Every structure is written in C-alpha cells, then in structure tokens.
Amino acid sequence: MMINCKRAAELICQSLDRPLSLWERFQLRLHLWMCAGCKGFKKQSEALDRLLQMRFHDLAREDIETQLDGLPDEVCDRLKQKLRAAIEDDASSN
Amino acid sequence: MSADDGIQPVNSREVTRDEAGRSGTCGALDPSTWVDAHGQVMYRYALARVTKPEVAEELVQEALLAAWRARDSFQGQSAERTWLIGILRHKILDHLRSRSRGVEDAASHSDWLEAFFDERGRWVRMPDPAAVRPDALLEKQEFWDVFHTCLDALPPRAREAFARRVLEQEETGAICKAMGITATNLWVILFRARTQMRQCLTLKWFNVADREAGGNESP
C-alpha cells in the first residue's frame, strides 16, 4: 500500500496530465503526509506548471496583452520583403 | 504600407483565379496583408516558444512561405489566422525536434532514474521547495532563456512530448498518435521531462541544489 518517492513523483507528474484514480490519490496523499521531499517536488512541479500555463496558454489568447516584445518594424519589413520575393519566385517558375 | 508595391500583380492574378475557381469561399487569400494582419500575433506566438528573436522571425517567415505555397489547402473553414498559426505550430515543433543534442534516450531510461532515486525508490537528493512565484517570473526574459537551455538539454523524445503537451497544450491522446507511442510510454517520457526540467530550472535559475537526502525523512 505504501508507495515510494519514485512512484509518488510519477503520480505527481501524471496528475498534471490526467485525473488520478481514487486509489492513486489516496496512496499519494498518504505518502505526501510524511515525505518532505515529495511535498517540495509537488509544490515546485505545480508552480512550474502554472507558470507554463500562463506563458503558453493564457498568453496565446489574443485578447490578453502580452509582456513579450511586439513585432519590430524592421522584422515586419523583412518578412514582407521575403514573402514578396518568394511569391515572385514561385510565379516566375510556374 | 509598402506591402502592395511588388506583390500586386501576382496577387491580383490570384484573386482572379480565385473568383473563377472557387467563388463560393468567403474571401480569397491575400498574402500581402498577412504580415500586417497576423505578423504580430505570429511573432509573439513563436517568440514565447523559442525565446530567441532571430529564430522566431525565421519560423514566422517559414510559416508564411509554407502557407503561401499551400494556399490551395486553405479551406476557409477556419479563420485565416487560425490557419496560419496552425502552420506556425508545425514549424515550431519541427524546430524543437531538430535541436537534438545527440543524446538519444533509448538506453538511458534507467540511467536517468538512477540519478534521482536510489534502489529503493527514494530521492537521492531531496527536492527543496524553494519559493517559486510564477507571476514574478512571467516577465523575466532571463528566466525564459534558462528555460530553453533546460529544454534543449532534454533527450529529443522527451523534448518533443514536453513541447507538445506543455507548449502546445495538445491532448495526450493526440500526442500518442503523433509520436506513435502508447499512453504508458507517454507518462514515462513526460515524467522524465518534468522531473528533469524542474531540477534544471531550480538549479540554474533559483540556484537551489536539492539537498543530500539524510535518509530519515523519506519513507
């Protein structure tokens, strides 16, 4: 019934990707109750997951103003230039 | 802006062809407007995932070109932007996949576990719950540079699984299908990716080394 740290860490990671079963949750809770290391692992893993959610999910939504740099003008111009050149290339080779 | 000078002849031909070919679709594609209309969103999307501006620019460029060349496949069912971002996502995943450091994970699965857990499955080094405050890190460019150093250090399969799951928020079923692996494989790979990412970040960013396990706290 008692699981070791390796199994506990596995369950902590999986809990971020799938719902754990009742039995798994019980085993994990029991283990966490007496293991400071896994408690730390859980805390950090969940914090990191939240951070990544914010960065890659919430920010991906267009209506949220991002903290990232916008498109610099010179990049904008280069993108247009190259796209135009490639389109002309394609047109002349057809 | 300057978008319409050189592109115009090609583009108007495109519109004519569109009108003749598929007049039913709503709105013909107009690549000359892509950069102005979607460049910003595409660039930020890429930048968040690859961190380096020059790489982000290159990926957006590649995506725009690929979109132009695959313009016949645009169904008009999705918004133009959704379609472009979809192409960009593929370019980003390809990029992350190709950044192999030559370490393949075939043989090393048990090795990496040994670095973290002893033969009885206890931590070799106890994770120290250093204060991780997500909101404080979100805007720190240096943190994301470290994040990418850590991501690059993962074995290729772990990096791909992690990128798909965490960066792209793909469903686990879809990841299994795309990578040709079982769900059990995926849990193992993601376990490894998350464990190594956590350790790499705590070490490199927070300067917190996990403590030597005294052996008394962990059951």
Side-chain angles (χ1 to χ4, degrees), chain A residues 15-59:
Chain A
S15 74
L16 302 172
D17 296 310
R18 67 171 177 94
L20 299 184
S21 73
L22 204 62
W23 177 237
E24 287 168 334
R25 287 209 306 272
F26 172 71
Q27 286 180 308
L28 181 57
R29 195 171 299 175
L30 200 63
H31 180 94
L32 286 173
W33 187 52
M34 46 189 161
C35 178
C38 287
K39 241 182 262 173
F41 181 81
K42 180 170 189 279
K43 205 171 139 193
Q44 287 182 341
S45 298
E46 288 176 350
L48 183 61
D49 194 61
R50 254 199 322 282
L51 176 66
L52 298 176
Q53 281 273 343
M54 284 196 266
R55 166 92 168 182
F56 297 112
H57 192 59
D58 300 348
L59 290 191

Side-chain angles (χ1 to χ4, degrees), chain B residues 5-20:
Chain B
D5 1 325
I7 218 167
Q8 210 50 49
V10 182
N11 193 45
S12 45
R13 200 192 58 176
E14 186 58 25
V15 171
T16 325
R17 199 193 61 153
D18 265 343
E19 279 164 356

Side-chain angles (χ1 to χ4, degrees), chain B residues 101-112:
Chain B
R101 284 289 158 86
V103 228
E104 203 26 89
D105 37 336
S108 54
H109 180 58
S110 53
D111 295 354
W112 86 266

Side-chain angles (χ1 to χ4, degrees), chain B residues 7 23 26 43 50 57 87 90 101 111 122 134 162 169 172 186 202-203:
Chain B
I7 218 167
S23 50
C26 47
Y43 182 73
V50 298
E57 178 182 343
I87 295 170
H90 282 283
R101 284 289 158 86
D111 295 354
R122 295 176 307 194
F162 188 80
Q169 313 273 326
T172 54
L186 181 64
T202 46
L203 202 65

